[in-house]
Amino acid sequence: MKKIILPVDFSDSSDKLVDYAVGFAKDINAEIALIHVAASDIGFVIGDMGFQYFPEVEENEIKYELRELNKLEQRVISQGVNCTHILKQGVAGDTILEFADEKNADYIVVGSHGRSGVYDVFIGSLTKEITRKSKIPVLVVPCHDEN
């Protein structure tokens, strides 16, 4: 069975991305592995006292992200596609590509939010990074508003 890696960020476009990936998985008889990459510095805050670490902030955020991953996994499974999920912390692009390699994946399905120009110069594009570095096919799904 083929394997699709589906990175999700729980943004508004995640629903569209999941729908596309489920349809694609059905077309090619594949299973989906959801991955969410959480920031490594979730519980760190800078304030008057400098950097402070609040483990409860990190714990609450991780619990929220795991709940969201579980919901997406159940949504995929309810549509007849095998699905697993994982939450990792790290640098998103590298972590996603390492996961795809670990899973011996056939495809990565990512969303394009339609940002460009100054945004890419300062922030960079995760989609661009993945498509540039990936050893396997990357399907880019346009997820921006159609207006």
Side-chain angles (χ1 to χ4, degrees):
M1 180 172 274
K2 295 193 183 301
K3 295 181 185 116
I4 298 169
I5 302 301
L6 181 59
V8 293
D9 62 3
F10 315 124
S11 66
D12 293 340
S13 62
S14 290
D15 286 338
K16 185 174 185 176
L17 192 58
V18 168
D19 290 342
Y20 179 87
V22 166
F24 181 58
K26 287 180 177 181
D27 288 346
I28 66 167
N29 190 31
E31 58 189 23
I32 294 174
L34 298 166
I35 181 171
H36 174 72
V37 182
S40 297
D41 56 358
I42 295 172
F44 287 95
V45 177
I46 188 164
D48 295 341
M49 304 291 287
F51 281 104
Q52 293 181 296
Y53 176 64
F54 296 96
E56 63 277 2
V57 171
E58 182 172 13
E59 183 179 329
N60 288 336
E61 185 64 23
I62 295 293
K63 284 180 182 177
Y64 164 78
E65 291 170 346
L66 284 171
R67 276 194 310 272
E68 293 302 306
L69 273 171
N70 280 318
K71 286 181 200 173
L72 288 175
E73 179 184 23
Q74 292 309 309
R75 182 172 157 205
V76 171
I77 291 170
S78 73
Q79 296 180 62
V81 174
N82 289 337
C83 186
T84 58
H85 72 269
I86 191 164
L87 184 144
K88 292 190 170 211
Q89 285 184 289
V91 177
D94 293 339
T95 303
I96 291 164
L97 291 169
E98 288 167 9
F99 181 64
D101 194 43
E102 287 169 19
K103 295 294 267 183
N104 198 23
D106 298 288
Y107 299 94
I108 300 173
V109 175
V110 294
S112 169
H113 296 285
R115 297 181 186 117
S116 62
V118 174
Y119 179 86
D120 280 346
V121 170
F122 291 107
I123 305 298
S125 168
L126 178 59
T127 298
K128 186 176 11 176
E129 178 184 353
I130 290 171
T131 55
R132 194 179 75 237
K133 294 181 177 179
S134 180
K135 297 174 189 168
I136 61 174
V138 178
L139 284 79
V140 180
V141 180
C143 294
H144 44 58
D145 291 334
E146 296 179 20
N147 297 332

